[in-house]
């Protein structure tokens, strides 16, 4: 059974940093595009960042470019999201996601194959 487990969320002050981690199991991790989505309270889920199988191609939401970095380790079946210079409007539940196709990640959340349970990030100002 495919599974994604996130960790690293918490409460931080604006300007500080957090690193989220996701551990994958039950599927061929190295053959999947990985991504982080987030869902602020009362809003729709949105793509934050995505990374291709090899790690050589990435996508970022405009709101996080220059602040967030997605990375993966195919030997450990993990994907991380380094979040720097956090802002209050980064507050959201962050979800790890897996799919075979990058286009799935960049075209919306409705067809993503595998979801984690999410980890809450709260940024206070």
């Amino acid at each position: 059974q495919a599974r994604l487990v996130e960790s690293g969320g918490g409460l931080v002050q604006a300007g500080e940093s957090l690193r989220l981690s996701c551990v994958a199991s039950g599927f061929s991790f190295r053959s999947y595009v990985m991504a982080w989505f987030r869902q602020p309270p009362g809003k729709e889920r949105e793509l934050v960042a995505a990374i291709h199988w090899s790690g050589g191609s990435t996508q970022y939401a405009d709101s996080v470019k220059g602040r967030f970095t997605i990375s993966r380790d195919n030997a450990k079946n993990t994907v991380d999201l380094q979040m720097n210079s956090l802002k209050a409007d980064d507050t959201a539940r962050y979800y790890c996601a897996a799919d075979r196709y990058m286009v799935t990640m960049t075209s919306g959340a409705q067809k993503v194959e595998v979801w984690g349970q999410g980890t809450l990030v709260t940024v206070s100002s």
Side-chain angles (χ1 to χ4, degrees), residues 5-120:
V5 180
E6 304 97 331
S7 63
L11 174 64
V12 297
Q13 292 184 319
E16 295 182 342
S17 298
L18 275 178
R19 189 177 186 91
L20 305 183
S21 294
C22 173
V23 180
S25 61
F27 64 98
S28 298
F29 178 82
R30 66 179 182 176
S31 298
Y32 276 71
V33 176
M34 300 298 298
W36 289 93
F37 287 76
R38 68 185 182 187
Q39 187 166 18
K43 297 186 179 297
E44 295 182 349
R45 193 171 299 188
E46 65 178 0
L47 178 66
V48 177
I51 186 166
H52 207 255
W53 310 318
S54 67
S57 179
T58 57
Q59 297 272 5
Y60 292 95
D62 288 341
S63 59
V64 307
K65 286 181 180 177
R67 299 189 297 122
F68 291 10
T69 303
I70 189 170
S71 61
R72 67 188 296 161
D73 187 337
N74 287 345
K76 298 193 294 185
N77 288 3
T78 60
V79 58
D80 291 354
L81 185 69
Q82 178 67 44
M83 304 185 295
N84 297 330
S85 301
L86 283 162
K87 305 174 181 179
D89 55 7
D90 293 320
T91 295
R93 193 166 187 90
Y94 284 71
Y95 296 88
C96 186
D99 198 271
R100 290 186 177 272
Y101 308 103
M102 177 66 79
V103 68
T104 304
M105 303 299 195
T106 59
S107 62
Q110 66 274 9
K111 293 186 177 180
V112 171
E113 292 184 46
V114 188
W115 289 104
Q117 82 289 347
T119 185
L120 183 63

